[in-house]
PDB file of all heavy atoms in Angstrom:
ATOM      1  N   LYS A   1     106.410  78.094 121.397  1.00 62.00           N
ATOM      2  CA  LYS A   1     107.049  79.240 120.688  1.00 62.00           C
ATOM      3  C   LYS A   1     106.245  80.440 121.075  1.00 62.00           C
ATOM      4  O   LYS A   1     106.958  81.540 121.262  1.00 62.00           O
ATOM      5  CB  LYS A   1     106.948  79.117 119.249  1.00 62.00           C
ATOM      6  CG  LYS A   1     107.507  80.226 118.284  1.00 62.00           C
ATOM      7  CD  LYS A   1     107.459  79.856 116.835  1.00 62.00           C
ATOM      8  CE  LYS A   1     108.003  81.087 116.059  1.00 62.00           C
ATOM      9  NZ  LYS A   1     107.971  80.763 114.533  1.00 62.00           N
ATOM     10  N   LEU A   2     105.014  80.400 121.156  1.00 63.00           N
ATOM     11  CA  LEU A   2     104.083  81.503 121.653  1.00 63.00           C
ATOM     12  C   LEU A   2     104.581  82.079 122.925  1.00 63.00           C
ATOM     13  O   LEU A   2     104.677  83.253 123.311  1.00 63.00           O
ATOM     14  CB  LEU A   2     102.658  81.112 121.552  1.00 63.00           C
ATOM     15  CG  LEU A   2     101.655  82.292 122.005  1.00 63.00           C
ATOM     16  CD1 LEU A   2     101.752  83.606 121.234  1.00 63.00           C
ATOM     17  CD2 LEU A   2     100.258  81.684 122.019  1.00 63.00           C
ATOM     18  N   TYR A   3     104.562  81.089 123.972  1.00 61.00           N
ATOM     19  CA  TYR A   3     104.957  81.333 125.325  1.00 61.00           C
ATOM     20  C   TYR A   3     106.269  82.253 125.405  1.00 61.00           C
ATOM     21  O   TYR A   3     106.261  83.193 126.072  1.00 61.00           O
ATOM     22  CB  TYR A   3     105.062  80.128 126.162  1.00 61.00           C
ATOM     23  CG  TYR A   3     105.674  80.246 127.475  1.00 61.00           C
ATOM     24  CD1 TYR A   3     105.100  81.093 128.505  1.00 61.00           C
ATOM     25  CD2 TYR A   3     106.955  79.772 127.738  1.00 61.00           C
ATOM     26  CE1 TYR A   3     105.709  81.289 129.669  1.00 61.00           C
ATOM     27  CE2 TYR A   3     107.599  79.947 129.012  1.00 61.00           C
ATOM     28  CZ  TYR A   3     106.885  80.597 129.958  1.00 61.00           C
ATOM     29  OH  TYR A   3     107.590  80.856 131.132  1.00 61.00           O
ATOM     30  N   TYR A   4     107.436  81.643 124.818  1.00 60.00           N
ATOM     31  CA  TYR A   4     108.557  82.270 124.830  1.00 60.00           C
ATOM     32  C   TYR A   4     108.742  83.718 124.165  1.00 60.00           C
ATOM     33  O   TYR A   4     109.408  84.510 124.712  1.00 60.00           O
ATOM     34  CB  TYR A   4     109.706  81.354 124.158  1.00 60.00           C
ATOM     35  CG  TYR A   4     110.243  80.270 125.021  1.00 60.00           C
ATOM     36  CD1 TYR A   4     109.961  78.873 124.801  1.00 60.00           C
ATOM     37  CD2 TYR A   4     110.937  80.575 126.234  1.00 60.00           C
ATOM     38  CE1 TYR A   4     110.402  77.938 125.550  1.00 60.00           C
ATOM     39  CE2 TYR A   4     111.339  79.594 127.080  1.00 60.00           C
ATOM     40  CZ  TYR A   4     111.103  78.243 126.682  1.00 60.00           C
ATOM     41  OH  TYR A   4     111.552  77.196 127.563  1.00 60.00           O
ATOM     42  N   THR A   5     107.752  83.829 123.151  1.00 63.00           N
ATOM     43  CA  THR A   5     107.714  85.099 122.565  1.00 63.00           C
ATOM     44  C   THR A   5     107.117  86.147 123.446  1.00 63.00           C
ATOM     45  O   THR A   5     107.574  87.219 123.659  1.00 63.00           O
ATOM     46  CB  THR A   5     106.858  85.017 121.191  1.00 63.00           C
ATOM     47  OG1 THR A   5     107.516  84.108 120.263  1.00 63.00           O
ATOM     48  CG2 THR A   5     106.721  86.430 120.515  1.00 63.00           C
ATOM     49  N   LEU A   6     106.026  85.700 124.092  1.00 63.00           N
ATOM     50  CA  LEU A   6     105.278  86.517 125.132  1.00 63.00           C
ATOM     51  C   LEU A   6     106.232  86.865 126.269  1.00 63.00           C
ATOM     52  O   LEU A   6     106.314  88.025 126.828  1.00 63.00           O
ATOM     53  CB  LEU A   6     104.025  85.927 125.601  1.00 63.00           C
ATOM     54  CG  LEU A   6     102.926  85.788 124.520  1.00 63.00           C
ATOM     55  CD1 LEU A   6     101.767  84.979 125.187  1.00 63.00           C
ATOM     56  CD2 LEU A   6     102.404  87.199 124.131  1.00 63.00           C
ATOM     57  N   LEU A   7     106.951  85.780 126.758  1.00 58.00           N
ATOM     58  CA  LEU A   7     107.754  86.024 127.961  1.00 58.00           C
ATOM     59  C   LEU A   7     108.875  86.984 127.730  1.00 58.00           C
ATOM     60  O   LEU A   7     109.221  87.870 128.480  1.00 58.00           O
ATOM     61  CB  LEU A   7     108.328  84.699 128.391  1.00 58.00           C
ATOM     62  CG  LEU A   7     109.309  84.676 129.604  1.00 58.00           C
ATOM     63  CD1 LEU A   7     108.428  85.255 130.810  1.00 58.00           C
ATOM     64  CD2 LEU A   7     109.751  83.195 130.072  1.00 58.00           C
ATOM     65  N   GLN A   8     109.552  86.933 126.338  1.00 60.00           N
ATOM     66  CA  GLN A   8     110.610  87.984 126.065  1.00 60.00           C
ATOM     67  C   GLN A   8     110.107  89.296 125.994  1.00 60.00           C
ATOM     68  O   GLN A   8     110.770  90.211 126.447  1.00 60.00           O
ATOM     69  CB  GLN A   8     111.187  87.402 124.651  1.00 60.00           C
ATOM     70  CG  GLN A   8     112.310  88.368 124.283  1.00 60.00           C
ATOM     71  CD  GLN A   8     113.617  88.160 125.080  1.00 60.00           C
ATOM     72  OE1 GLN A   8     114.302  87.282 125.041  1.00 60.00           O
ATOM     73  NE2 GLN A   8     113.607  89.246 126.031  1.00 60.00           N
ATOM     74  N   ARG A   9     108.811  89.482 125.477  1.00 62.00           N
ATOM     75  CA  ARG A   9     108.296  90.790 125.448  1.00 62.00           C
ATOM     76  C   ARG A   9     107.872  91.498 126.706  1.00 62.00           C
ATOM     77  O   ARG A   9     107.956  92.544 126.947  1.00 62.00           O
ATOM     78  CB  ARG A   9     107.239  90.816 124.384  1.00 62.00           C
ATOM     79  CG  ARG A   9     107.562  90.465 122.973  1.00 62.00           C
ATOM     80  CD  ARG A   9     106.359  90.562 122.078  1.00 62.00           C
ATOM     81  NE  ARG A   9     106.723  90.356 120.595  1.00 62.00           N
ATOM     82  CZ  ARG A   9     105.964  90.336 119.501  1.00 62.00           C
ATOM     83  NH1 ARG A   9     104.637  90.546 119.824  1.00 62.00           N
ATOM     84  NH2 ARG A   9     106.381  90.161 118.376  1.00 62.00           N
ATOM     85  N   MET A  10     107.581  90.508 127.679  1.00 59.00           N
ATOM     86  CA  MET A  10     107.108  90.947 128.990  1.00 59.00           C
ATOM     87  C   MET A  10     108.302  91.277 129.983  1.00 59.00           C
ATOM     88  O   MET A  10     108.089  92.070 130.864  1.00 59.00           O
ATOM     89  CB  MET A  10     106.197  89.983 129.529  1.00 59.00           C
ATOM     90  CG  MET A  10     104.766  89.923 128.870  1.00 59.00           C
ATOM     91  SD  MET A  10     103.626  88.678 129.814  1.00 59.00           S
ATOM     92  CE  MET A  10     102.179  88.824 128.847  1.00 59.00           C
ATOM     93  N   SER A  11     109.288  90.432 129.862  1.00 60.00           N
ATOM     94  CA  SER A  11     110.300  90.453 130.813  1.00 60.00           C
ATOM     95  C   SER A  11     111.503  91.478 130.312  1.00 60.00           C
ATOM     96  O   SER A  11     111.700  91.672 129.259  1.00 60.00           O
ATOM     97  CB  SER A  11     111.039  89.078 130.972  1.00 60.00           C
ATOM     98  OG  SER A  11     112.086  89.138 131.751  1.00 60.00           O
ATOM     99  N   SER A  12     111.986  92.126 131.327  1.00 59.00           N
ATOM    100  CA  SER A  12     113.135  93.003 131.166  1.00 59.00           C
ATOM    101  C   SER A  12     114.360  92.247 131.077  1.00 59.00           C
ATOM    102  O   SER A  12     115.441  92.775 130.784  1.00 59.00           O
ATOM    103  CB  SER A  12     113.244  93.981 132.324  1.00 59.00           C
ATOM    104  OG  SER A  12     113.431  93.346 133.618  1.00 59.00           O
ATOM    105  N   GLU A  13     114.464  90.893 131.433  1.00 61.00           N
ATOM    106  CA  GLU A  13     115.612  90.157 131.343  1.00 61.00           C
ATOM    107  C   GLU A  13     115.660  89.353 129.997  1.00 61.00           C
ATOM    108  O   GLU A  13     114.668  89.168 129.404  1.00 61.00           O
ATOM    109  CB  GLU A  13     115.632  89.043 132.563  1.00 61.00           C
ATOM    110  CG  GLU A  13     115.409  89.833 133.825  1.00 61.00           C
ATOM    111  CD  GLU A  13     116.456  90.639 134.342  1.00 61.00           C
ATOM    112  OE1 GLU A  13     117.531  90.573 133.652  1.00 61.00           O
ATOM    113  OE2 GLU A  13     116.166  91.543 135.074  1.00 61.00           O
ATOM    114  N   ASN A  14     116.846  88.826 129.664  1.00 64.00           N
ATOM    115  CA  ASN A  14     117.066  88.113 128.460  1.00 64.00           C
ATOM    116  C   ASN A  14     116.393  86.684 128.657  1.00 64.00           C
ATOM    117  O   ASN A  14     116.491  86.019 129.687  1.00 64.00           O
ATOM    118  CB  ASN A  14     118.525  87.990 128.092  1.00 64.00           C
ATOM    119  CG  ASN A  14     119.101  89.217 127.623  1.00 64.00           C
ATOM    120  OD1 ASN A  14     118.407  89.983 126.889  1.00 64.00           O
ATOM    121  ND2 ASN A  14     120.339  89.495 127.831  1.00 64.00           N
ATOM    122  N   VAL A  15     115.684  86.207 127.645  1.00 64.00           N
ATOM    123  CA  VAL A  15     115.098  84.927 127.713  1.00 64.00           C
ATOM    124  C   VAL A  15     115.504  84.204 126.450  1.00 64.00           C
ATOM    125  O   VAL A  15     115.639  84.638 125.351  1.00 64.00           O
ATOM    126  CB  VAL A  15     113.541  85.003 127.623  1.00 64.00           C
ATOM    127  CG1 VAL A  15     112.931  83.580 127.630  1.00 64.00           C
ATOM    128  CG2 VAL A  15     112.852  85.799 128.866  1.00 64.00           C
ATOM    129  N   TYR A  16     116.121  83.021 126.747  1.00 61.00           N
ATOM    130  CA  TYR A  16     116.611  82.246 125.652  1.00 61.00           C
ATOM    131  C   TYR A  16     115.724  81.059 125.326  1.00 61.00           C
ATOM    132  O   TYR A  16     115.710  80.058 125.941  1.00 61.00           O
ATOM    133  CB  TYR A  16     118.122  81.673 126.183  1.00 61.00           C
ATOM    134  CG  TYR A  16     118.961  82.690 126.549  1.00 61.00           C
ATOM    135  CD1 TYR A  16     118.981  83.149 127.911  1.00 61.00           C
ATOM    136  CD2 TYR A  16     119.873  83.109 125.709  1.00 61.00           C
ATOM    137  CE1 TYR A  16     119.952  84.110 128.320  1.00 61.00           C
ATOM    138  CE2 TYR A  16     120.794  84.240 126.032  1.00 61.00           C
ATOM    139  CZ  TYR A  16     120.804  84.604 127.380  1.00 61.00           C
ATOM    140  OH  TYR A  16     121.600  85.681 127.740  1.00 61.00           O
ATOM    141  N   PRO A  17     114.936  81.317 124.200  1.00 61.00           N
ATOM    142  CA  PRO A  17     113.858  80.341 123.694  1.00 61.00           C
ATOM    143  C   PRO A  17     114.586  78.908 123.541  1.00 61.00           C
ATOM    144  O   PRO A  17     115.632  78.761 122.914  1.00 61.00           O
ATOM    145  CB  PRO A  17     113.402  81.054 122.336  1.00 61.00           C
ATOM    146  CG  PRO A  17     113.724  82.357 122.515  1.00 61.00           C
ATOM    147  CD  PRO A  17     115.072  82.408 123.194  1.00 61.00           C
ATOM    148  N   PHE A  18     113.805  77.996 123.898  1.00 64.00           N
ATOM    149  CA  PHE A  18     114.203  76.484 123.835  1.00 64.00           C
ATOM    150  C   PHE A  18     115.489  76.207 124.493  1.00 64.00           C
ATOM    151  O   PHE A  18     115.988  75.135 124.192  1.00 64.00           O
ATOM    152  CB  PHE A  18     114.156  76.119 122.350  1.00 64.00           C
ATOM    153  CG  PHE A  18     112.941  76.516 121.671  1.00 64.00           C
ATOM    154  CD1 PHE A  18     112.960  77.623 120.719  1.00 64.00           C
ATOM    155  CD2 PHE A  18     111.827  75.907 121.856  1.00 64.00           C
ATOM    156  CE1 PHE A  18     111.860  77.983 120.035  1.00 64.00           C
ATOM    157  CE2 PHE A  18     110.639  76.288 121.124  1.00 64.00           C
ATOM    158  CZ  PHE A  18     110.523  77.370 120.278  1.00 64.00           C
ATOM    159  N   ALA A  19     116.007  76.956 125.225  1.00 69.00           N
ATOM    160  CA  ALA A  19     117.259  76.701 126.137  1.00 69.00           C
ATOM    161  C   ALA A  19     116.701  76.109 127.430  1.00 69.00           C
ATOM    162  O   ALA A  19     116.210  76.915 128.169  1.00 69.00           O
ATOM    163  CB  ALA A  19     118.063  77.779 126.233  1.00 69.00           C
ATOM    164  N   GLY A  20     116.924  74.896 127.746  1.00 75.00           N
ATOM    165  CA  GLY A  20     116.375  74.259 129.063  1.00 75.00           C
ATOM    166  C   GLY A  20     117.496  74.281 130.047  1.00 75.00           C
ATOM    167  O   GLY A  20     118.266  75.078 130.121  1.00 75.00           O
ATOM    168  N   ASP A  21     117.339  73.194 130.865  1.00 83.00           N
ATOM    169  CA  ASP A  21     118.219  73.143 131.976  1.00 83.00           C
ATOM    170  C   ASP A  21     119.637  72.194 131.491  1.00 83.00           C
ATOM    171  O   ASP A  21     120.527  72.241 132.333  1.00 83.00           O
ATOM    172  CB  ASP A  21     117.706  72.374 133.095  1.00 83.00           C
ATOM    173  CG  ASP A  21     116.448  73.113 133.541  1.00 83.00           C
ATOM    174  OD1 ASP A  21     116.603  74.428 133.912  1.00 83.00           O
ATOM    175  OD2 ASP A  21     115.354  72.623 133.746  1.00 83.00           O
ATOM    176  N   PHE A  22     119.644  71.710 130.346  1.00 87.00           N
ATOM    177  CA  PHE A  22     120.740  70.990 129.879  1.00 87.00           C
ATOM    178  C   PHE A  22     121.939  72.028 129.558  1.00 87.00           C
ATOM    179  O   PHE A  22     121.811  72.696 128.547  1.00 87.00           O
ATOM    180  CB  PHE A  22     120.311  70.176 128.696  1.00 87.00           C
ATOM    181  CG  PHE A  22     121.388  69.322 128.078  1.00 87.00           C
ATOM    182  CD1 PHE A  22     122.389  68.862 128.942  1.00 87.00           C
ATOM    183  CD2 PHE A  22     121.459  68.928 126.657  1.00 87.00           C
ATOM    184  CE1 PHE A  22     123.421  67.911 128.588  1.00 87.00           C
ATOM    185  CE2 PHE A  22     122.527  68.095 126.260  1.00 87.00           C
ATOM    186  CZ  PHE A  22     123.446  67.601 127.153  1.00 87.00           C
ATOM    187  N   ARG A  23     122.801  72.153 130.465  1.00 88.00           N
ATOM    188  CA  ARG A  23     123.931  73.031 130.287  1.00 88.00           C
ATOM    189  C   ARG A  23     125.084  72.810 131.279  1.00 88.00           C
ATOM    190  O   ARG A  23     124.887  72.005 132.248  1.00 88.00           O
ATOM    191  CB  ARG A  23     123.421  74.517 130.551  1.00 88.00           C
ATOM    192  CG  ARG A  23     122.803  74.713 131.912  1.00 88.00           C
ATOM    193  CD  ARG A  23     122.197  76.104 132.169  1.00 88.00           C
ATOM    194  NE  ARG A  23     121.035  76.421 131.233  1.00 88.00           N
ATOM    195  CZ  ARG A  23     120.713  77.518 130.579  1.00 88.00           C
ATOM    196  NH1 ARG A  23     121.554  78.566 130.919  1.00 88.00           N
ATOM    197  NH2 ARG A  23     119.730  77.717 129.853  1.00 88.00           N
ATOM    198  N   LEU A  24     126.102  73.435 130.924  1.00 93.00           N
ATOM    199  CA  LEU A  24     127.289  73.530 131.823  1.00 93.00           C
ATOM    200  C   LEU A  24     127.404  74.818 132.471  1.00 93.00           C
ATOM    201  O   LEU A  24     127.476  75.966 131.784  1.00 93.00           O
ATOM    202  CB  LEU A  24     128.500  73.144 131.025  1.00 93.00           C
ATOM    203  CG  LEU A  24     129.822  72.947 131.882  1.00 93.00           C
ATOM    204  CD1 LEU A  24     130.750  72.029 131.256  1.00 93.00           C
ATOM    205  CD2 LEU A  24     130.625  74.471 131.978  1.00 93.00           C
ATOM    206  N   LEU A  25     127.561  74.853 133.782  1.00 92.00           N
ATOM    207  CA  LEU A  25     127.719  76.059 134.617  1.00 92.00           C
ATOM    208  C   LEU A  25     128.970  76.092 135.248  1.00 92.00           C
ATOM    209  O   LEU A  25     129.342  75.158 135.976  1.00 92.00           O
ATOM    210  CB  LEU A  25     126.465  76.207 135.565  1.00 92.00           C
ATOM    211  CG  LEU A  25     125.141  76.395 134.995  1.00 92.00           C
ATOM    212  CD1 LEU A  25     123.996  76.190 135.976  1.00 92.00           C
ATOM    213  CD2 LEU A  25     124.943  77.646 134.276  1.00 92.00           C
ATOM    214  N   ASP A  26     129.722  77.146 135.171  1.00 92.00           N
ATOM    215  CA  ASP A  26     130.924  77.284 135.931  1.00 92.00           C
ATOM    216  C   ASP A  26     130.555  77.624 137.360  1.00 92.00           C
ATOM    217  O   ASP A  26     129.408  77.849 137.735  1.00 92.00           O
ATOM    218  CB  ASP A  26     131.714  78.594 135.413  1.00 92.00           C
ATOM    219  CG  ASP A  26     132.917  78.858 136.210  1.00 92.00           C
ATOM    220  OD1 ASP A  26     133.969  78.146 135.738  1.00 92.00           O
ATOM    221  OD2 ASP A  26     133.008  79.579 137.129  1.00 92.00           O
ATOM    222  N   LYS A  27     131.451  77.258 138.230  1.00 91.00           N
ATOM    223  CA  LYS A  27     131.260  77.322 139.707  1.00 91.00           C
ATOM    224  C   LYS A  27     130.734  78.679 140.183  1.00 91.00           C
ATOM    225  O   LYS A  27     129.965  78.839 141.204  1.00 91.00           O
ATOM    226  CB  LYS A  27     132.499  76.984 140.497  1.00 91.00           C
ATOM    227  CG  LYS A  27     132.381  76.774 141.990  1.00 91.00           C
ATOM    228  CD  LYS A  27     133.591  76.377 142.627  1.00 91.00           C
ATOM    229  CE  LYS A  27     133.245  76.032 144.106  1.00 91.00           C
ATOM    230  NZ  LYS A  27     134.660  75.447 144.909  1.00 91.00           N
TER     231      LYS A  27
END
């Protein structure tokens, strides 16, 4: 939780906490 909080504040891009690689991606 601490890591994702820091990463969101540091990054200019959206960070989705606890969202891993388990996902469906369109082509």
Side-chain angles (χ1 to χ4, degrees):
K1 183 177 180 180
L2 176 62
Y3 166 70
Y4 280 113
T5 300
L6 291 175
L7 183 59
Q8 180 64 80
R9 292 182 178 180
M10 289 183 178
S11 176
S12 59
E13 310 298 335
N14 288 329
V15 177
Y16 300 89
F18 307 109
D21 299 307
F22 184 29
R23 60 182 64 214
L24 181 149
L25 296 168
D26 185 84
K27 189 173 184 177

